[in-house]
Amino acid sequence: MKPRIKGKFTFQSAGVLFVLSALFELFSINSQVPLFGNIRGGIIAATYHIVYVVLFFALGFGLFKARPWGYRLVFAATGLYTLDRLVYVLDRKALEAYLAAVLAKYGLTVGVSETGFVLKAVTLAMVLSVAGWWAFAGYAYLRRQYFQQTDNKPVKGK
């Protein structure tokens, strides 16, 4: 019987989901993003989306194939995502403009009191999202031996 590799199913599943995330991000390449106090489109938004497409594809491959660089990329991506979400939440002017544009697209107009509630909900969602990334990074740290394998065989003596 083959020795069971701890974390294999989790990391391979995450790898597949990261590749799917990259594809979804690719479909939204023309979508505007809130950055630096305003809603940005065009080349700035496309570059933003392409960075995430490349990051998610690389993470997906690195996790699925148990590459040592995939392990390091989990932490780099977690740091980048945390900074990105921090800028997103702290840039209230851009966030308010973005939410107003998104809600207006669906025919909704909101007043000041409703905007405050929506901003709190978005902030909570971002905090939970970042917490999920850090939890995954913690899991990767605990299962780091998965990334020290060659041809999906455990390293001897470990």
Side-chain angles (χ1 to χ4, degrees):
M1 188 166 158
K2 289 183 179 180
R4 188 167 164 256
I5 301 170
K6 291 184 177 184
K8 181 178 180 178
F9 176 78
T10 302
F11 288 121
Q12 287 187 340
S13 299
V16 169
L17 293 173
F18 272 117
V19 169
L20 287 174
S21 294
L23 293 174
F24 283 121
E25 189 73 26
L26 191 58
F27 287 127
S28 67
I29 200 155
N30 292 327
S31 299
Q32 296 178 333
V33 293
L35 281 174
F36 312 121
N38 205 349
I39 299 173
R40 307 291 177 181
I43 192 72
I44 294 172
T47 303
Y48 177 90
H49 291 295
I50 286 176
V51 166
Y52 274 106
V53 167
V54 170
L55 182 67
F56 290 159
F57 267 124
L59 267 172
F61 181 79
L63 291 173
F64 192 85
K65 292 290 193 174
R67 300 292 191 241
W69 55 262
Y71 172 72
R72 292 186 298 276
L73 189 57
V74 167
F75 298 102
T78 301
L80 176 68
Y81 187 79
T82 301
L83 287 174
D84 181 43
R85 296 297 92 181
L86 188 63
V87 168
Y88 180 75
V89 169
L90 294 179
D91 191 357
R92 290 289 189 205
K93 183 179 172 188
L95 185 55
E96 288 172 357
Y98 181 71
L99 289 175
V102 168
L103 293 174
K105 189 164 77 171
Y106 296 106
L108 300 172
T109 56
V110 294
V112 175
S113 62
E114 292 90 2
T115 303
F117 175 74
V118 172
L119 286 174
K120 287 178 184 174
V122 167
T123 301
L124 178 62
M126 291 303 113
V127 167
L128 293 175
S129 177
V130 168
W133 273 84
W134 280 101
F136 185 74
Y139 179 78
Y141 177 77
L142 293 174
R143 296 283 184 238
R144 61 190 173 274
Q145 206 169 17
Y146 168 78
F147 298 96
Q148 298 171 351
Q149 304 166 35
T150 56
D151 300 324
N152 285 333
K153 295 177 187 172
V155 176
K156 291 183 181 184
K158 294 192 179 192

